[in-house]
Each structure stands twice: as C-alpha cells, then as structure tokens.
Amino acid sequence: MKRIVVLAIALLLLVGCGGKEQPAPQVQRDERAAATAAPAEATPAPQTVTAVTAPTEAPAESAPAAEPAPAAPEESGLVDSLAVQWATDGLVENMFPLTAEDVLDYYGIDLAACRNGIVFGDAVGYANEAVIVEAEDGVLNEVEAMLQDHLQAVKAQYKGYDAEALALAEKAVLLREGNVVLFIISPNAEAMLAVYRELTK
C-alpha cells in the first residue's frame, strides 16, 4: 500500500510539472557594462550637401571686342595741298581763310560734315572767293547745290551794279570731280584751276 501511495504522488508530481510553463530566463543588466558599452546608434542627423560648381575654364579665344564706330574716311590731302600751293603761288594773297562758323553762315556749308574743306573769302571788297570741299556723295550733293545757289545770288547782286565783278562771276569755276567740289570766283581763277589740275592729274 505504501508503494501505491508513493507511485501516485510521483505520478501527480509528473503530471503537475508537465502542465506548467517554464519561466523565461531573466537577464540582469550590469550597470558597469552599460557605462562602457558603445552607445546605441542614434539616427544620423541630416547632412547639408553643398553643390560644388566645377571651375569654368577660360575660353580658348576671348570674345571679340565690340567694333568701334567706323572712322571718317582718311583725307586725301588734296585740300591742304591745294591751299598751300595757291598761297605759295600768291594766288590767294587778297583772300583770307574763313572759319567753319563763317562758312556755315555765309554758304550754309557745314565743314564738320565733310572730310576736309577750306574756304577763302574776299579781303579787299572785290569778287574774290574760293571753296574746296572733300566729302561723301550725300554731303557733296548738298555742298554743290548750295554753291550753285550762291553763284546765282552773286550774279544777281552784281548785275547792273558792277560789270567787272559780274564778268568774274560769269567765268566762275564750279566743278565736281570724284569726292571734291571746287568753286572759284577770282581774277586768278584760271591759274587756281590750273594748280588743281596739276595736283589731280
């Protein structure tokens, strides 16, 4: 009987132990290990990315500079040469060179719009004047027209008043060749024209 009781108790113990769940092992944290351990990975802070611009290379050929405004055509030197030769030959001794202002007032010719120009006026109160102008076609057309008008006005002025001065006006030189207009009323008109012909041949 004792044997049966012992077996029954053993059986109950076995059945009771089999129905119970084994507790999960408990891990105790050691505070010293936590202090020396590597810190847990934190979420990385957002990084600011700065774009690096690649250096621009200098162009192999520099851009062409803006072209300067076209310069006035070079003077041929004819106007100055003619004035010097007339003076050397004594053909303008009774004349004086007019200022650009006087030329504009008296003839309407703007010498600033011309390549070159020299105008001689009468120094002794006689029909004595000479104009030599070098310019582009458009300006030269205007100069020629102004000188034709001037010549007609001179003829009208001397008509019935001074026969000798009128005769000189009737023999006036007014010619246009290339980019030059030449106008002369003078007792020396023929000699002055001859100098011009010599310099332009």
Side-chain angles (χ1 to χ4, degrees):
M1 181 82 177
K2 274 184 177 180
R3 195 180 241 181
I4 293 172
V5 171
V6 170
L7 283 173
I9 291 172
L11 184 62
L12 284 172
L13 285 173
L14 283 172
V15 170
C17 289
K20 285 187 180 177
E21 289 183 16
Q22 294 290 332
Q26 294 290 323
V27 177
Q28 296 217 352
R29 185 179 174 101
D30 187 2
E31 294 299 326
R32 289 174 298 167
T36 58
E41 282 187 27
T43 305
Q47 295 181 352
T48 304
V49 178
T50 305
V52 178
T53 308
T56 55
E57 294 181 15
E61 291 181 14
S62 58
E67 292 186 18
E74 288 185 19
E75 298 167 4
S76 68
L78 172 64
V79 172
D80 296 327
S81 298
L82 188 58
V84 167
Q85 194 59 53
W86 281 346
T88 301
D89 293 349
L91 301 174
V92 290
E93 61 186 0
N94 292 324
M95 298 184 194
F96 65 96
L98 299 180
T99 65
E101 240 178 49
D102 290 338
V103 172
L104 188 58
D105 288 344
Y106 191 60
Y107 295 95
I109 298 170
D110 182 6
L111 291 179
C114 305
R115 290 186 195 175
N116 201 356
I118 294 180
V119 178
F120 292 97
D122 189 5
V124 293
Y126 197 68
N128 226 7
E129 55 187 296
V131 177
I132 176 83
V133 171
E134 203 172 8
E136 294 300 324
D137 284 344
V139 174
L140 213 58
N141 290 341
E142 293 178 14
V143 170
E144 186 179 18
M146 289 174 191
L147 289 173
Q148 285 174 340
D149 290 345
H150 176 71
L151 179 57
Q152 294 310 313
V154 168
K155 288 179 180 178
Q157 176 188 349
Y158 290 131
K159 189 174 184 178
Y161 165 69
D162 188 332
E164 198 172 338
L166 179 59
L168 291 175
E170 294 288 352
K171 294 179 183 178
V173 173
L174 178 54
L175 64 86
R176 175 176 177 174
E177 292 182 352
N179 288 93
V180 173
V181 166
L182 178 66
F183 173 73
I184 306 168
I185 298 176
S186 172
N188 299 322
E190 287 183 21
M192 293 170 78
L193 179 59
V195 172
Y196 169 81
R197 292 289 183 214
E198 187 65 27
L199 289 174
T200 56
K201 70 179 180 181

